[in-house]
Amino acid sequence: SPARSALAPREAAARRKGKARRGRGKARSEGLLSKQKRSRRMKANDRERNRMHHLNSALDALRSVLPTFPDDAKLTKIETLRFAHNYIWALTQSLRLA
């Protein structure tokens, strides 16, 4: 077409590349897609499980340095964070007064 021939060679090549990228190439089978989705989901679950293990370990370490009575029940995650915040604030205030 006249519009196509009016394009510079570089622009025409870029247009062809863009069209080539839009297609998926070979059609993938349903079984292969299902296996890939399952694999991705398992990897994502594993990452999330590891993230939660690290978070829980960090909260356990934080609980171990907070002053609590031994007979107290284990603080929840939010209680631990609030208590740590208030404890740091109280220590800061005592240092300011000293």
Side-chain angles (χ1 to χ4, degrees), residues 59 62 66 75-86:
L59 286 166
L62 181 57
L66 293 175
L75 298 173
T76 65
K77 292 173 185 177
I78 191 68
E79 289 170 343
T80 301
L81 292 173
R82 286 181 179 148
F83 187 77
H85 174 268
N86 292 336

Side-chain angles (χ1 to χ4, degrees), residues 13-59:
R15 180 177 279 186
R16 280 193 302 273
K17 284 182 184 177
K19 284 187 179 182
R21 280 188 225 157
R22 282 187 217 144
R24 290 200 88 138
K26 294 182 182 177
R28 295 187 179 155
S29 69
E30 290 295 321
L32 181 61
L33 285 174
S34 177
K35 285 180 183 179
Q36 287 176 340
K37 285 181 182 179
R38 199 174 319 124
S39 174
R40 277 191 228 123
R41 176 54 27 212
M42 288 175 64
K43 287 177 184 177
N45 288 347
D46 192 41
R47 285 191 304 270
E48 178 63 11
R49 193 176 308 109
N50 286 332
R51 187 187 72 83
M52 288 306 300
H53 283 306
H54 285 102
L55 177 62
N56 289 332
S57 297
L59 286 166

